[in-house]
């Protein structure tokens, strides 16, 4: 593998992994916008991610899908996708060439998530891992505990709506699923951007709270005591005028740090992340048994130094991959 | 501490002022005065005494576990606060701390045993934390591990903040005042007056603060009146009023002060409600010649006798905070009090009278004229505004006379408390400006944690050439002036254009140009570029400029000679 202007490139498969500009052949870990770019001639992704990928990149894209674990040969390389536990259909990409195995994790998490399949540890020779939350201050509680916090916050004030901001694809559906898993059955209102993605989760038979788009709520219907999920871009936008003095919250791993919440101006922060926390990253690196680790995204300097100095693992920032 | 912790969580969880007042009110009505006094002192920011430094607290945790120091530091610079870093790391590290030796000191052991019984806030503030501060380093370490293990983790943030003295949450003083007033059926102004002066957290102080309103005492003793503050001018609102309704005077860049003469003595208060008698002994002596029970509002400023301009603000800085102002400083930094309002005359509170009457009374106050030091008391030179057109002209003259702008006061205005809009306006001069290059960045703290928001700027030095190439020389640091979106953009840029790192500081590619504004400039031996500026801030991001086109030191030096340049 090598690093090119368009991103990580596997010469033997003539394919780029999550390229950031249009290329001939793209292997996609998951359908988040920073990993799946439009305009490639050929896409490869998991079966579960196909719906959202087509919705975001266009119905007519040339998309080949593989089930988790299904092996496929492209050129001299054997390709397979393995669950990353990040969002619906998210995958680690395993590429084997001449007996040498590389795994690109994409984004992943180790905590259980009722809205998508669990992370599958894959052993390899070379691991390329993300490091978004690679600091020991980041430590996630399980989703059920956070779901109880969200529920208490929402139910504590029935006189006004509770606006919970979260990423429209992945986090929002996880919240709907986590809340269902702790035994709630109330209807939740969704911002349009959340609604379009949630449909794909419903077709994938993920158990979630019932929901309805805000746009379908009658003008004279009271929104007091309702939970509303919306993407962060809607915070302080004109869309918010629809709600009378709401209480606001944000669900994200970044909410672990007080200053990060204060800066964004949310009243409450719920620490709920779809990335691996510090322990999760280290556990994954160790379980992979990789002899060489490359680190990308976020706090890569910290993770590289820790792996080298404390764990004695050969680690390098991905930017230094020649 | 639990109840206070819950109050803090609730206050922190809402951005609505009404709700904050409501929450505080409920807390205050029910609280034991012994705890209430501490809660108020903490919310008002009056008792941020440090028991242990943040660094010491970090060391305590770090020395107790096998965890690399650099990783601790990375976490700290990401979070921007020791107390919070520790409370985020504790859950990961606590297992390593469980096997700890038994405490040797029986007294401390007994205190720590009480922690499990959820002691009240005042016990923490008056008993445990002070004794912790007095303990030996080993005892501190053992005690802290025991405390962290006992106190529920959801209260660790507050606990650590109380220890490091950095407790501060988003509740403005005004809201606390409103809540006290609402809880005990007082007027806001009653509360403001009672809060003037020293805050001594005690049940007595709390009781006095919250006691039912009585006839106000004739003599307030040393306690200053709340200062009436001006707001930045809104000319469009004002020009429709008759110009002759307004009093205009110079705005000086000194320290706002209230000078009180009672039979017990003289009290000079700064706007921060600090007694500053020791910094300005000459003014204290002078004020003894005033009639007893006189209260003046004015500006403390360094100004030589019979000169037509004040001395630079840095002269005042040399006096502030000193325990003793020696003969040398007295001589080099002579000081005057420019009075612009008379709040009390012969024990009579004049604040409700219109300004025009108070000014007449101030002018008639003549009793210091015959003493040697009388030059130290000046009356603010002001007059009725002739016309709105005249204002611009006055503003030009203001700069030439060394003032920082103009004050506009409505002649009918009473002397109110705090920042109440409508009667008093400040009309500052435009700042001096220079285009400078961003060279270093450092992460901020609080709500700017893990964002690069502390910037250092440089100008070109075309004389000290390095291989005949001009060199960038550090000129000023600035923290304010950019919007949230710009801060985010700049943060991303800094991360991807870092050349080198020195601890928390990043050296960035010298590419971006910002227009800096500042209020004054003067020669300085302390600064590398030989210049010091007053109140530098970012006016705008000059996307239209390249680093090469930024200003040179020479342009900065030329400002020294401009009318607003402060030169000795």
């Amino acid at each position: 593998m090598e690093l090119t202007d368009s991103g990580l490139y596997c010469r033997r498969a003539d394919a780029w992994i999550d390229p950031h500009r249009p290329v001939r052949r793209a292997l996609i870990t998951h359908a988040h916008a920073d990993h799946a770019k439009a305009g490639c001639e050929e896409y490869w992704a998991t079966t579960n991610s196909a719906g959202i990928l087509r919705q975001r990149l266009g119905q007519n894209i040339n998309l080949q899908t593989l089930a988790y674990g299904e092996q496929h040969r492209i050129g001299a390389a054997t390709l397979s996708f393995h669950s990353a536990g990040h969002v619906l259909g998210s995958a680690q990409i395993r590429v084997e060439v001449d007996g040498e195995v590389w795994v690109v994790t994409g984004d992943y998490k180790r905590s259980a998530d009722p809205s998508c399949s669990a992370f599958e540890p894959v052993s390899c020779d070379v691991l390329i891992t993300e490091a978004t939350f690679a600091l020991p201050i980041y430590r996630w509680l399980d989703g059920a505990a956070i779901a109880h916090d969200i529920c208490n916050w929402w139910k504590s004030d029935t006189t006004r709506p509770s606006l919970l901001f979260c990423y429209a694809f992945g986090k929002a559906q996880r919240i709907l699923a986590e809340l269902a898993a702790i035994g709630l059955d109330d209807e939740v209102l969704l911002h349009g951007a959340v609604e379009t993605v949630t449909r794909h989760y419903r077709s994938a038979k993920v158990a979630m709270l019932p929901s309805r788009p805000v746009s379908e709520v009658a003008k004279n219907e009271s929104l007091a005591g309702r939970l509303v999920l919306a993407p962060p871009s809607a915070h302080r936008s004109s869309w918010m005028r629809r709600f009378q003095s709401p209480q606001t919250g944000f669900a994200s791993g970044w909410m672990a740090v007080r200053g990060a919440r204060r800066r964004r101006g949310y009243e409450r922060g719920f620490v709920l992340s779809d990335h691996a926390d510090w322990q999760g990253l280290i556990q994954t690196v160790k379980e992979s048994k990789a002899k060489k680790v490359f680190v990308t995204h976020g706090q890569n300097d910290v993770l590289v130094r820790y792996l080298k100095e404390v764990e004695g693992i050969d680690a390098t920032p991905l930017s230094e991959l020649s | 501490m639990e109840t206070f912790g819950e109050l803090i969580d609730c206050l922190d969880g809402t951005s609505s002022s009404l709700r904050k007042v409501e929450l505080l009110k409920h807390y205050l009505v029910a609280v034991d005065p012994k705890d209430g006094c501490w809660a108020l002192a903490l919310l008002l920011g009056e008792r941020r005494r440090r028991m242990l430094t943040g660094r010491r607290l970090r060391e305590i945790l770090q020395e107790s576990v096998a965890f690399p120091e650099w990783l601790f530091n990375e976490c700290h610079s990401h979070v921007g606060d020791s107390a919070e870093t520790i409370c985020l790391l504790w859950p990961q590290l606590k297992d390593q701390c469980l096997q700890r030796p038994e405490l040797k000191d029986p007294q401390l052991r007994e205190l720590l045993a009480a922690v499990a019984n959820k002691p009240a806030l005042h016990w923490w503030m008056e008993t445990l934390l002070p004794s912790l501060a007095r303990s030996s380093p080993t005892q501190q370490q053992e005690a802290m591990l025991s405390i962290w293990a006992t106190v529920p983790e959801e209260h660790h943030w507050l606990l650590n903040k109380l220890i490091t003295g950095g407790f501060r949450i988003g509740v403005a003083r005004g809201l606390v005042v409103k809540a006290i007033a609402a809880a005990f059926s007082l007027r806001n102004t009653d509360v403001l007056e009672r809060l003037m002066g020293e805050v001594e957290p005690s049940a007595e102080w709390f009781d006095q603060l919250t006691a039912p309103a009585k006839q106000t005492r004739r003599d307030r003793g040393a306690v200053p009146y709340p200062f009436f503050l001006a707001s930045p001018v809104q000319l469009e609102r004002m020009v429709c009023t008759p110009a002759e309704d307004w009093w205009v005077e110079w705005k000086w860049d000194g320290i706002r002060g209230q000078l009180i003469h009672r039979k017990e003595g003289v009290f000079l208060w700064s706007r921060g409600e600090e007694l500053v008698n020791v910094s300005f002994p000459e003014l204290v002596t002078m004020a003894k010649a005033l009639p007893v029970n006189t209260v003046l509002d004015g500006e403390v400023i360094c100004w030589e006798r019979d000169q037509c301009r004040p001395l630079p603000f840095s002269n005042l800085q040399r006096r502030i905070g000193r325990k003793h102002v020696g003969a040398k400083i007295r001589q080099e930094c002579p000081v005057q009090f420019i009075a612009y309002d008379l709040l009390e005359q012969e024990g009579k509170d004049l604040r409700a009278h219109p300004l025009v009457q108070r000014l007449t009374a101030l002018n008639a106050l003549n009793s210091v004229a015959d003493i040697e030091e009388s030059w130290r008391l000046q009356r603010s030179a002001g007059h009725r505004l002739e016309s709105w057109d005249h204002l611009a002209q006055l503003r030009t003259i203001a700069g030439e006379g060394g003032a920082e702008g103009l004050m506009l006061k409505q002649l009918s205005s009473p002397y109110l408390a705090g920042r109440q809009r409508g009667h008093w306006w400040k009309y500052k001069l435009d700042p001096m400006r220079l285009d400078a290059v961003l060279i270093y960045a450092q992460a901020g703290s609080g709500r700017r944690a893990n964002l690069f928001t502390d910037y250092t700027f440089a100008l070109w030095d075309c004389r000290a050439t390095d291989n005949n190439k001009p060199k960038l020389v550090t000129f000023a640091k600035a923290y304010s002036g950019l919007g949230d979106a710009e801060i985010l953009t700049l943060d991303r840029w800094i991360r991807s254009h870092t050349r080198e790192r020195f601890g928390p500081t990043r050296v960035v590619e010298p590419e971006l140009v910002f227009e800096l504004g500042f209020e004054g400039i003067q020669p300085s031996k302390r600064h590398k570029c030989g210049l010091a500026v007053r109140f530098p801030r970012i006016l705008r991001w000059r996307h239209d400029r390249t680093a090469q086109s930024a200003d040179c030191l020479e342009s900065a030096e030329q400002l020294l000679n401009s009318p607003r340049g402060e030169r000795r």
Side-chain angles (χ1 to χ4, degrees):
Chain A
M1 294 237 200
E2 58 202 273
L3 212 50
T4 68
D5 288 346
S6 304
L8 195 59
Y9 176 62
C10 175
R11 185 168 297 280
R12 304 294 289 275
D14 188 25
W16 281 261
I17 296 176
D18 292 350
H20 25 77
R21 51 177 81 158
V23 295
R24 283 187 301 282
R25 181 183 290 144
L27 314 179
I28 302 296
T29 60
H30 64 287
H32 272 146
D34 51 337
H35 291 261
K37 292 275 190 259
C40 299
E41 290 169 28
E42 187 181 315
Y43 289 95
W44 288 76
T46 64
T47 319
N48 289 345
S49 65
I52 299 169
L53 215 47
R54 282 190 191 283
Q55 181 202 316
R56 299 196 146 191
L57 303 182
Q59 293 300 327
N60 303 324
I61 54 168
N62 175 8
L63 173 64
Q64 314 291 322
T65 59
L66 291 176
Y68 285 133
E70 185 183 343
Q71 295 205 330
H72 187 86
R73 203 165 170 84
I74 302 183
T78 309
L79 163 77
S80 56
F81 290 98
H82 301 268
S83 179
H86 178 58
V87 293
L88 182 66
S90 69
Q92 312 168 67
I93 294 179
R94 180 184 183 279
V95 179
E96 185 173 348
V97 176
D98 301 335
E100 189 182 64
V101 178
W102 287 57
V103 167
V104 180
T105 63
D107 293 342
Y108 66 99
K109 72 168 169 290
R110 304 302 306 258
S111 338
D113 176 350
S115 70
C116 67
S117 54
F119 179 90
E120 177 197 344
V122 183
S123 39
C124 58
D125 300 298
V126 182
L127 179 74
I128 300 177
T129 178
E130 61 133 331
T132 311
F133 288 102
L135 276 173
I137 53 167
Y138 293 111
R139 176 182 141 272
W140 314 140
L141 300 177
D142 62 345
I146 305 301
H148 280 290
D149 284 349
I150 293 175
C151 173
N152 291 339
W153 167 75
W154 163 24
K155 304 281 179 178
S156 72
D157 195 339
T158 52
T159 63
R160 50 192 188 140
S162 296
L163 254 58
L164 182 56
F165 294 89
C166 53
Y167 298 120
F169 166 28
K171 191 66 58 65
Q173 295 73 30
R174 180 176 177 198
I175 291 169
L176 290 174
E178 298 276 11
L179 288 172
I182 62 166
L184 295 183
D185 58 1
D186 311 53
E187 184 192 61
V188 176
L189 301 178
L190 306 180
H191 182 276
V194 178
E195 160 65 19
T196 44
V197 183
T198 306
R199 269 182 238 148
H200 295 282
Y201 275 71
R202 297 231 183 259
S203 349
K205 303 272 184 293
V206 175
M208 295 183 290
L209 289 187
S211 61
R212 185 158 51 121
V214 175
S215 55
E216 287 176 18
V217 176
K219 281 272 181 290
N220 53 2
E221 193 180 325
S222 163
L223 296 170
R226 303 299 300 268
L227 179 67
V228 186
L229 301 186
S233 56
H235 188 221
R236 292 172 168 164
S237 72
S238 54
W239 175 83
M240 263 179 81
R241 272 187 237 138
R242 173 87 170 74
F243 307 93
Q244 295 287 304
S245 60
Q247 54 173 350
T248 60
F250 186 38
S252 161
W254 300 113
M255 294 297 99
V257 175
R258 202 179 120 84
R261 171 174 64 81
R262 305 275 303 168
R263 179 165 73 236
R264 289 171 174 86
Y266 298 104
E267 294 172 313
R268 271 294 294 270
F270 298 98
V271 185
L272 187 70
S273 176
D274 288 331
H275 291 269
D277 62 6
W278 174 252
Q279 289 301 341
L281 292 167
I282 292 166
Q283 180 193 354
T284 304
V285 169
K286 285 183 178 169
E287 285 175 359
S288 75
K289 300 192 177 66
K291 294 185 280 294
K292 175 80 198 168
V293 177
F294 290 99
V295 181
T296 180
H297 289 306
Q299 301 287 333
N300 46 26
D301 299 350
V302 178
L303 187 60
V304 163
R305 184 165 174 194
Y306 184 85
L307 290 174
K308 281 202 294 205
E309 293 185 8
V310 180
E311 302 290 348
I313 293 171
D314 181 6
T316 321
L318 181 64
S319 53
E320 289 171 25
L321 172 69
S322 47
Chain B
M1 188 167 71
E2 275 67 18
T3 334
F4 184 59
E6 280 155 26
L7 170 71
I8 296 308
D9 286 346
C10 292
L11 287 174
D12 206 28
T14 178
S15 55
S16 147
S17 301
L18 280 176
R19 262 163 224 280
K20 285 181 185 175
V21 171
E22 204 52 29
L23 286 162
L24 265 168
K25 184 183 135 187
H26 280 289
Y27 172 83
L28 289 171
V29 171
V31 74
D32 177 350
K34 282 190 283 189
D35 289 333
C37 60
W38 282 106
L40 285 180
L42 287 163
L43 289 168
L44 292 167
E46 297 282 354
R47 266 296 182 274
R48 295 202 206 126
R49 202 144 60 85
R50 192 155 63 195
M51 301 296 176
L52 298 177
T53 61
R55 174 175 290 275
R56 174 71 192 125
L57 207 59
R58 254 153 60 211
E59 279 167 11
I60 287 178
L61 181 57
Q62 198 207 315
E63 284 166 5
S64 319
V65 292
F67 196 73
E69 190 186 347
W70 66 265
L71 192 49
F72 246 96
N73 295 341
E74 287 282 356
C75 292
H76 179 242
S77 69
H78 185 79
V79 176
D81 173 62
S82 294
E84 190 181 350
T85 309
I86 293 167
C87 87
L88 288 170
L89 285 175
W90 173 255
Q92 309 256 22
L93 301 175
K94 60 182 172 190
D95 293 341
Q96 296 184 38
C97 304
L98 285 181
Q99 291 170 339
R100 49 176 201 281
E102 186 71 2
L103 269 166
K104 285 172 210 82
D105 182 347
Q107 211 186 338
L108 200 55
R109 197 162 60 209
E110 201 177 309
L111 277 180
L112 291 173
V115 172
N117 307 326
K118 302 193 171 179
L121 180 63
H122 73 272
W123 181 84
W124 285 95
M125 302 306 291
E126 291 163 20
T127 310
L128 184 66
L129 299 187
S131 74
L132 185 68
R134 287 191 302 267
S135 304
S136 72
T138 336
Q139 284 175 337
Q140 284 175 350
Q141 182 168 17
E142 291 166 10
M144 275 321 302
L145 294 177
S146 149
I147 293 170
W148 282 325
T150 317
V151 173
E153 280 167 25
E154 65 262 32
H155 295 310
H156 277 203
W157 180 79
L158 175 61
L159 168 73
N160 293 347
K161 280 292 199 185
L162 293 180
I163 293 172
T164 55
F167 176 79
R168 183 171 165 268
I169 64 161
V171 180
R173 189 181 174 87
L175 295 187
V176 182
V177 170
K178 269 189 194 164
I180 301 173
F184 302 97
S185 318
L186 298 165
R187 287 179 309 174
N188 289 355
T189 45
D190 293 334
V191 179
L192 265 176
E193 294 206 9
R194 291 175 184 190
L195 280 174
M196 279 281 170
E198 284 285 294
V199 168
E200 193 49 59
S202 66
E204 293 74 45
W205 173 75
F206 186 88
D207 287 337
Q208 277 170 21
L209 185 65
T210 57
K214 289 189 300 236
Q215 206 76 36
T216 18
R217 267 173 61 196
R218 201 174 134 78
D219 180 354
R220 300 164 49 88
V223 182
Y225 291 100
F227 284 87
F228 184 23
L229 307 174
S231 310
V233 79
Q234 294 180 328
L235 280 178
E236 66 286 0
R237 255 180 82 170
M238 300 163 69
V239 287
C240 53
T241 62
E244 64 270 22
D245 286 359
W246 296 88
W247 184 255
V248 59
E249 57 193 357
W250 308 128
K251 181 178 185 331
W252 300 111
D253 184 20
I255 299 172
R256 181 83 180 271
Q258 198 174 117
L259 192 55
I260 303 176
H261 184 209
R262 304 259 179 236
K263 61 178 189 301
E264 297 88 357
V266 171
F267 308 95
L268 178 59
W269 294 92
S270 74
R271 210 196 96 187
E273 290 161 35
E274 269 179 88
L275 196 60
V276 291
N277 284 23
V278 287
S279 303
F280 307 101
E282 304 97 315
L283 297 182
V284 173
T285 315
M286 171 276 288
K288 284 179 187 152
L290 288 167
V292 168
N293 291 336
T294 301
V295 180
L296 293 172
D297 182 18
E299 199 84 5
V300 176
I301 192 163
C302 281
W303 199 318
E304 264 172 289
R305 187 174 187 167
D306 301 329
Q307 289 298 307
C308 57
R309 292 171 62 101
L311 294 167
F313 188 82
S314 56
N315 294 63
L316 264 179
Q317 281 171 319
R318 290 177 64 191
R319 282 177 170 252
I320 304 164
R322 271 183 202 265
K323 288 219 176 75
H324 177 71
V325 177
K328 185 162 179 272
I329 294 187
R330 286 188 201 207
Q331 199 203 339
E332 287 176 5
C333 314
V335 66
Q336 293 190 0
F337 187 86
I338 303 177
Y340 37 66
D341 216 322
L342 180 63
L343 307 188
E344 187 183 315
Q345 186 176 32
E346 289 164 18
K348 192 171 166 223
D349 183 350
L350 299 182
R351 291 178 301 161
H353 295 238
L355 175 66
V356 63
Q357 282 183 25
R358 300 200 304 274
L359 289 174
T360 313
L362 178 65
N363 266 324
L365 195 79
N366 210 11
S367 52
V368 296
D370 45 356
I371 65 161
E372 164 62 14
E373 293 279 272
S374 65
W375 65 277
R376 294 198 189 273
L377 180 63
Q378 299 291 329
R379 281 179 199 83
S380 171
H383 55 84
R384 267 180 203 268
L385 186 61
E386 287 163 27
S387 69
W388 288 109
D389 296 335
H390 190 43
L391 200 61
Q393 206 181 325
L394 284 171
R395 203 156 160 250
T396 331
I397 312 172
E400 288 161 10
E404 63 166 357
L406 299 173
M407 290 295 303
L408 281 159
K409 299 175 177 174
Q410 210 153 29
L411 280 157
S412 59
S413 62
Y415 190 94
L416 301 171
R419 203 178 297 281
Q420 302 194 46
R421 281 161 170 273
H423 298 299
W424 282 23
W425 304 97
K426 51 185 175 191
Y427 191 14
K428 284 204 177 187
L429 300 183
D430 289 330
M432 300 181 176
R433 298 151 189 270
L434 282 175
D435 289 331
V437 184
L438 175 69
I439 54 168
Y440 306 132
Q442 213 175 326
S445 59
R447 62 194 289 267
R448 292 170 148 202
N450 69 48
L451 272 184
F452 287 97
T453 54
D454 300 359
Y455 315 111
T456 304
F457 297 93
L459 296 177
W460 292 107
D461 185 350
C462 305
R463 290 157 304 188
T465 51
D466 206 11
N467 302 331
N468 284 335
K469 271 197 272 174
K471 204 171 73 179
L472 280 168
V473 186
T474 308
F475 172 64
K477 287 184 102 170
Y479 308 86
S480 62
L482 290 180
D484 283 349
E486 282 176 316
I487 288 179
L488 286 179
T489 317
L490 187 52
D491 178 74
R492 275 195 295 274
W493 185 90
I494 289 166
R495 284 173 203 277
S496 55
H497 293 79
T498 300
R499 256 192 191 176
E500 252 182 293
R501 291 179 178 200
F502 297 105
T505 307
R506 295 198 177 202
V507 183
V508 299
E509 304 286 346
E511 288 175 16
L512 302 187
V513 179
F514 293 81
E515 185 178 37
L516 302 185
F518 42 92
E519 296 304 315
I521 183 163
Q522 58 181 114
S524 159
K525 285 184 195 133
R526 215 183 262 181
H527 295 82
K528 219 185 200 173
C529 62
L531 296 166
V533 288
R534 175 128 167 85
F535 190 32
R537 71 268 187 191
I538 300 168
L539 297 179
R540 62 190 165 129
W541 186 339
R542 298 290 310 250
H543 293 281
D544 54 328
R545 287 232 161 184
T546 61
Q548 282 68 36
S549 65
D551 278 308
C552 299
L553 271 180
E554 283 88 339
S555 351
E557 282 158 6
Q558 274 161 20
L559 289 174
L560 283 171
N561 304 317
S562 75
R564 295 202 58 208
E566 296 169 316
R567 194 153 207 195
R568 282 208 61 171

